[in-house]
Amino acid sequence: MQINVKAPAKINLTLDVLRKRKDGYHDVEMIMTTIDLADRIQLNSLEEDRIIVDVTKGYVPCNDKNLAYQAAKLLKDRLGIKKGVSIFIDKQIPVSAGLAGGSTDAAAVLRGLNQMWNLHLSVEELAEIGLQIGSDVPFCVHGGTAIATGRGENLEFLPAPPPCWVILVKPPRGVSTKDVYERIKIDKLNHPDTPGMIRAIQDQNFPAICNSLQNVMEDVTFQLYPDVHMIKNRMIQFGADGTVMSGSGPTVFSLTQNESRAYRLYNGLKGFMEQVYVVRLLGSEN
Ligand code: ATP
């Protein structure tokens, strides 16, 4: 049997870090939404009791370090499943980019295997299993637009933002989320107006959404990699309606509702950056 699953990337419309917890994790408050930049995952059932992973991009691990592998293994162990699966990932989402590429692959494997193996697990049960892999996996299991608190696993869903274009630039380097967290000075942060962003989404007020984009991780990532700051400034100069970094970076994205402005930005940025994307914001559940 073969199943094909789409694994969309997420962007952060806001990202706030509230405190460091005793268990080493940070309490966050962030608004995430899905975009139409997605990995394509093909699952093929195997008679043999094993998990095989193959990825189109060389620098993603094809072993038990791959989060998609970990998702299949967790499901097998939890439910005592003796069947095998071959997982093929057509990687379109840039890696170590702040777009939850690995987490969304894991979430898509959970959803796909639930169907392939007729497990009848609810989305909530899949999200709870996914949390063992990473803090962003529960959101990726659901998709859509949500406020995430705790480590990122407590989700409150919001309506999809109004339709718009998302222009993304991924600088050549990757950023380690752990490095950024280690350097954050929580008592000195300029916190985003999260209630303002929630209101803007509920009111479908696109200019207010653009004005409320904010990410407390920007300062640390910009200090580590000044070129990321330079890219953000360029995107603002090219006339984006709103621009911010996603996750711990280094991807920076702009929003606009105007198609010709989206492609003007894309073409301007393509002149000096290799990885530039223009996609639609999705924002509704998978
Ligand atoms: P986040 O936004 O959740 O912090 P990210 O987008 O910054 O994630 P990923 O693309 O998920 O980062 O990659 C982070 C690390 O995970 C990389 O070192 C990569 O090798 C590893 N990894 C494991 N499985 C995958 C996968 N399926 N796709 C991409 N990276 C993976």
Side-chain angles (χ1 to χ4, degrees), residues 111-158:
R111 289 198 310 270
L113 290 180
N114 191 34
Q115 193 185 334
M116 195 162 93
W117 290 337
N118 288 316
L119 303 177
H120 304 290
L121 294 171
S122 67
V123 175
E124 284 69 30
E125 286 169 312
L126 294 176
E128 185 236 304
I129 295 171
L131 181 61
Q132 292 179 53
I133 302 168
S135 303
D136 284 345
V137 181
F139 171 77
C140 294
V141 167
H142 289 267
T145 304
I147 314 158
T149 53
R151 275 167 63 186
E153 79 280 29
N154 302 324
L155 301 170
E156 257 179 79
F157 288 90
L158 291 168

Side-chain angles (χ1 to χ4, degrees), residues 17 26 75 89 107 143 149 155 175 206 218 220 225 231-232 239 250:
V17 179
H26 287 80
L75 216 47
I89 306 173
T149 53
L155 301 170
V175 164
F206 185 73
E218 273 188 347
V220 175
Y225 310 112
I231 289 164
K232 181 179 174 186

